[in-house]
């Protein structure tokens, strides 16, 4: 009698849902353990400044280094993901995120914090890229939702620990907090790493609703396609626009005169800007699985049209109505909701279009769009100084989003269909060659 586990691994037989949802849950745990390096950093900056007297700008160079290292090493990390698999990569990343915060706990110079940031960038990049890629591989039929939940774990992962970290900083100091949470988070991710694995070829089945490639492209093959560079261009347009708007939100709120406005929601009162930033966390956590789930049912390109258009008009409205504090809150929430989905839609589309065998390297290169976008963020300040108003910046950002939406409906859809049709023909030819026949 065949055991259930053996039956699950029989060629052509998909794995049980419990197995792949378990893999997804472990990936989300790893992301939650990783998130604080980015999202809790802001709690430490005032304490570091008070202890050493350095300027806030010089301290924040560490955060910039972290983002650069996390983003620009993604292609190299993708290579190692494809080569060594998820366990080794997440275990490696877990050690690095733990070591990064231990370095921060002992640092007494700016250089020390810069080293900690670079080490943390390597650790976070390794875990983030690995968990996203594992979700892509396990859920070809629900890829958008799976990737969205995984990315959402990183986006909202700090919610449960922000208050404990803040309390420990207050009671024990920031050095002890760095050390304790470095050990805690690194250990949690390290233990979780050993439960991860990638599926074998016969454990998953493709989506019956979406257009998906049957040929696994190498990085070189993917980069020789029109689709790859179209996706890369659209990714840059949307992520740059979103980062320019989000990174400048505090300054925009101040210039619009709503930063200190006290919003009375009856059960609590809070200044408009902190409340808007709280909405950022919530909307970012919602948007990734929400739009990912929608894309699983209606297609990636249609979902992109909806999200990018919503983002574009939301930013236009923010520039026009943002002087009203309540409109500022609602519209900034819409902007955050429609922006966070880029990290689920583009990764899911990459898996659909290029297969999963080399997806670590392929999405790693696509992900550098975030690094390119970060380089353009200071342009927002230059535009504001040149024109004297944030409206120019917001309307430019909105235009970038709407151009991406137009590309999604007019160019991406036919290019994707043609690409997948070609991949199916190529797959059939390769099979024919493998069986001893020559393609016509």
């Amino acid at each position: 009698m065949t055991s259930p586990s053996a039956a699950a691994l029989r060629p052509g037989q998909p794995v049980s849902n419990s197995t792949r949802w378990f893999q997804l849950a472990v990936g989300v745990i790893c992301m939650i353990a990783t998130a604080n390096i980015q999202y809790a950093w802001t709690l430490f900056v005032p304490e570091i400044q008070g202890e050493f007297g350095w300027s806030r700008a010089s301290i924040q160079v560490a955060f910039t280094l972290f983002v650069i290292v996390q983003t620009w090493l993604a292609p190299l990390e993708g290579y190692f993901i494809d080569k060594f698999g998820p366990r080794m990569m997440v275990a490696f990343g877990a050690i690095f995120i733990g070591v990064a915060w231990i370095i921060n706990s002992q640092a007494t110079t700016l250089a020390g914090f810069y080293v900690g940031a670079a080490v943390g960038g390597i650790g976070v990049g390794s875990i983030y890229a690995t968990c996203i890629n594992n979700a892509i591989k396990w859920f070809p039929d629900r890829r958008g939702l799976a990737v969205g939940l995984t990315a959402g774990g990183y986006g909202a992962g700090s919610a449960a620990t922000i208050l404990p970290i803040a309390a420990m900083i207050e009671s024990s100091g920031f050095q002890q907090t760095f050390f304790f949470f470095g050990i805690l988070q690194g250990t949690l991710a390290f233990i979780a790493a050993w439960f991860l694995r990638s599926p074998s070829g016969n454990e998953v089945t493709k989506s019956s609703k979406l257009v998906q490639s049957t040929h696994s492209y190498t990085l070189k093959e993917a980069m020789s396609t029109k689709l790859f560079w179209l996706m890369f261009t659209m990714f840059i347009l949307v992520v740059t626009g979103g980062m320019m708007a989000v990174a400048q939100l505090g300054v925009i709120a101040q210039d619009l005169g709503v930063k200190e406005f006290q919003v009375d929601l009856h059960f609590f009162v809070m200044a408009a800007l902190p409340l808007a930033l709280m909405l950022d966390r919530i909307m970012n956590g919602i948007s990734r699985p929400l739009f990912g789930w929608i894309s699983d049912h209606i297609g990636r390109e249609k979902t992109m049209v909806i999200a990018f258009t919503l983002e574009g008009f939301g930013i236009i409205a923010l520039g026009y109505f943002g002087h009203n504090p309540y409109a500022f809150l609602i519209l900034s929430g819409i902007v955050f909701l429609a922006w966070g989905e880029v990290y689920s839609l583009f990764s899911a589309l990459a898996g659909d279009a290029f297969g999963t065998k080399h997806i670590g390297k392929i999405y790693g290169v696509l992900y550098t769009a975030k690094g390119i976008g970060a380089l353009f963020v200071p342009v927002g300040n230059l535009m504001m100084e040149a024109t004297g108003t944030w409206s120019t910046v917001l309307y430019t950002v909105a235009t970038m989003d709407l151009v991406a939406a137009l590309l999604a409906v007019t160019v991406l859809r036919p290019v994707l269909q043609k690409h997948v049709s070609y991949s199916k023909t190529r797959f059939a030819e390769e099979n024919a060659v493998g069986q001893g026949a020559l393609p016509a």
Side-chain angles (χ1 to χ4, degrees):
M1 181 175 179
T2 306
S3 68
S5 59
L9 297 177
R10 192 185 305 137
Q13 191 75 15
V15 75
S16 67
N17 261 329
S18 60
T19 299
R20 62 180 190 160
W21 283 107
F22 174 76
Q23 287 294 312
L24 183 67
V26 173
V28 171
I29 290 171
C30 292
M31 295 289 252
I32 290 172
T34 306
N36 277 323
I37 289 190
Q38 176 170 337
Y39 290 104
W41 171 254
T42 187
L43 298 176
F44 292 94
V45 174
E47 305 298 323
I48 295 171
Q49 185 179 28
E51 176 72 18
F52 299 107
W54 304 320
S55 70
R56 183 161 296 192
S58 62
I59 297 170
Q60 288 291 32
V61 170
F63 186 78
T64 303
L65 284 172
F66 164 80
V67 174
I68 290 172
V69 172
Q70 182 211 358
T71 305
W72 287 94
L73 287 183
L76 180 62
E77 290 158 355
Y79 169 81
F80 287 116
I81 292 167
D82 292 337
K83 184 175 179 65
F84 296 112
R87 288 178 183 171
M88 294 302 297
M89 282 302 294
V90 172
F92 169 84
I95 293 171
F96 269 62
I97 64 172
V99 168
W101 274 31
I102 292 173
I103 291 173
N104 287 342
S105 73
Q106 303 300 313
T108 56
T109 64
L110 281 171
F113 286 102
Y114 295 164
V115 171
V119 172
I122 294 171
V124 171
S126 298
I127 294 175
Y128 185 98
T130 303
C131 293
I132 291 292
N133 280 280
N134 217 39
I136 290 173
K137 291 177 179 179
W138 276 106
F139 287 85
D141 56 330
R142 297 180 181 178
R143 192 167 278 153
L145 175 62
V147 171
L149 288 170
T150 305
Y154 183 76
S158 62
T161 50
I162 282 291
L163 292 180
I165 287 176
M168 188 170 182
I169 290 174
E170 182 69 24
S171 63
S172 304
F174 73 90
Q175 290 101 335
Q176 185 63 31
T177 306
F178 267 134
F179 187 86
F180 175 79
F181 278 91
I183 295 291
L184 177 65
Q185 293 166 164
T187 300
L188 177 61
F190 187 82
I191 293 172
W194 302 103
F195 293 92
L196 290 171
R197 71 177 180 89
S198 296
S200 61
N202 58 11
E203 287 187 86
V204 295
T205 55
K206 294 187 179 296
S207 171
S208 59
K209 297 179 180 179
L210 300 174
V211 177
Q212 294 182 328
S213 173
T214 51
H215 172 71
S216 284
Y217 285 70
T218 64
L219 176 60
K220 183 178 179 180
E221 289 174 333
M223 292 181 68
S224 68
T225 66
K226 182 187 298 184
L227 177 63
F228 179 91
W229 294 108
L230 175 61
M231 290 172 59
F232 193 64
T233 301
M234 292 173 61
F235 203 164
I236 291 173
L237 284 172
V238 180
V239 80
T240 301
M243 289 177 73
M244 285 176 70
V246 172
Q248 310 293 355
L249 189 68
V251 184
I252 293 171
Q254 183 173 355
D255 289 352
L256 291 175
V258 300
K259 181 179 179 181
E260 303 298 336
F261 182 86
Q262 297 296 309
V263 180
D264 187 353
L265 298 178
H266 299 295
F267 49 92
F268 74 93
V269 178
M270 184 181 290
L273 180 59
L275 186 55
L277 293 174
M278 184 184 296
L279 282 174
D280 173 18
R281 297 284 178 86
I282 296 171
M283 293 304 182
N284 254 308
I286 294 172
S287 68
R288 301 177 192 200
L290 172 64
F291 282 104
W293 175 79
I294 292 172
S295 75
D296 288 336
H297 291 81
I298 68 172
R300 317 294 181 209
E301 65 276 19
K302 292 179 182 178
T303 308
M304 286 179 178
V305 174
I306 295 169
F308 300 165
T309 302
L310 182 63
E311 170 88 353
F313 283 113
I315 291 176
I316 291 173
L318 183 63
Y320 195 78
F321 298 107
H323 293 279
N324 182 302
Y326 293 98
F328 178 84
L329 283 173
I330 294 170
L331 293 171
S332 62
I334 291 173
V335 169
F336 291 135
L337 176 68
W339 179 65
E341 93 295 327
V342 294
Y343 301 108
S344 56
L345 293 184
F346 282 101
S347 54
L349 180 58
D352 293 342
F354 303 114
T356 58
K357 186 175 181 180
H358 305 285
I359 192 60
K361 293 185 284 289
I362 294 170
Y363 185 63
V365 175
L366 282 173
Y367 189 66
T368 61
K370 180 182 178 181
I372 295 173
L375 297 177
F376 284 106
V377 169
V379 175
N381 292 91
L382 298 177
M383 291 175 63
M384 189 273 176
E385 292 171 2
T387 62
T389 174
W390 281 106
S391 295
T392 307
V393 179
L394 293 175
Y395 294 154
T396 301
V397 166
T399 300
M400 296 169 72
D401 288 318
L402 295 175
V403 167
L406 183 63
L407 288 173
V409 71
T410 60
V411 183
L412 178 62
R413 193 173 185 183
V415 168
L416 177 61
Q417 291 175 340
K418 184 177 180 180
H419 171 88
V420 172
S421 177
Y422 170 76
S423 77
K424 288 180 178 179
T425 302
R426 182 170 181 175
F427 182 74
E429 290 176 351
E430 289 174 350
N431 275 350
V433 171
Q435 294 170 6
L438 291 175

